[in-house]
Amino acid sequence: MSADLGRLLGEVGAVLLDFDGPVCSIFAGYPAPQVAAELVDVLRRCGVDVPPDLASEPDPLEVLRRTGATGDQGVTRAVEAALCAAERRAVETAEPTPYGREAVVAARQAGLPVAMVSNNSAGAVDAYLSARRLAAHVSLVVGRAYADPARMKPNPAPILEAVQALAEPPHRCLLVGDSMSDIEGARAAGTRVIGYANRPAKLAAFQAAGADVVITSMGELARLLIERPGG
């Protein structure tokens, strides 16, 4: 595994990281199901007849995604605004991922530009990076397109936006993500991809989905970035 990861790192010129997972657990202190329930309340205040499966949805991003799929832009904007506010509150109690910070710093010290490509709002990501003194190590933040959840990963659009801004060809960019949407989005964008399996059940799924390498600790990535020439 280390040999495969080392070879992969030698073939790329930029590192893209998903935010929630590889860098931190954004909803550690403000649980995602609570946020999702608050978004459902927004839907009800907007006069939406919420079906039972959506009322019990624990993922706030899925609530936003399903709202956007209705085509009601006014309601989508209301849910988006509420989610952005919740995410800004959530980053205040977010739990850093072990070795996530070290991986970001090591990549930058190895001469690799680092971008965050997240389905969370850019404002929340920026707030976390500033609070944790990581902003100087990150060249670019591409967050969720406002009130346009169809553009969230696995849509490759945010990944390609980062690739273009970093002026590297897609095959020279490496995305690190902890969800199937990251793996699928990277494959669609033509970038390389590391699956961060922070739960055992993800390991086989990421391998089957075509991740170039699967890791179970961000420490694996940080160590090899430190050992990389220039690190």
Side-chain angles (χ1 to χ4, degrees), residues 7 38 41 50 53 57 78 94 119 124-125 129 137 143 153-154 160 177 184 189 202 215 217 231:
R7 282 195 296 270
E38 291 169 1
D41 286 342
V50 180
D53 63 325
E57 172 59 54
N119 282 348
V125 177
L129 296 178
H137 301 285
K153 295 173 291 182
L160 290 171
E184 293 167 4
K202 294 182 178 182
I215 60 176
S217 167

Side-chain angles (χ1 to χ4, degrees), residues 65-109:
R65 197 188 302 273
R66 288 187 56 180
T67 302
T70 68
D72 189 324
Q73 191 62 13
V75 175
T76 301
R77 285 183 173 275
V79 172
E80 175 71 58
L83 179 54
C84 286
E87 288 171 333
R88 287 295 296 267
R89 175 182 167 190
V91 296
E92 296 175 5
T93 53
E95 182 177 318
T97 298
Y99 301 104
R101 176 187 179 84
E102 288 83 352
V104 171
V105 174
R108 196 69 190 90
Q109 291 180 342

Side-chain angles (χ1 to χ4, degrees), residues 153-154 177-186 202 204-210:
K153 295 173 291 182
D178 73 322
S179 71
M180 288 298 294
S181 65
D182 294 313
I183 309 300
E184 293 167 4
K202 294 182 178 182
F206 288 168
Q207 291 170 336

Side-chain angles (χ1 to χ4, degrees), residues 3 9 20 27 37-38 40 78 93-95 104 114-115 125 129 133 135 142 144 157-158 170 177 188 190 202 231:
L9 293 176
D20 185 21
F27 295 116
E38 291 169 1
V40 169
T93 53
E95 182 177 318
V104 171
V114 177
V125 177
L129 296 178
R133 295 179 290 109
V142 178
R144 182 177 63 247
K202 294 182 178 182

Side-chain angles (χ1 to χ4, degrees), residues 54 57 59-67 152:
L54 183 55
E57 172 59 54
D59 182 354
L61 292 177
E62 186 59 24
V63 175
L64 176 63
R65 197 188 302 273
R66 288 187 56 180
T67 302
M152 293 192 300

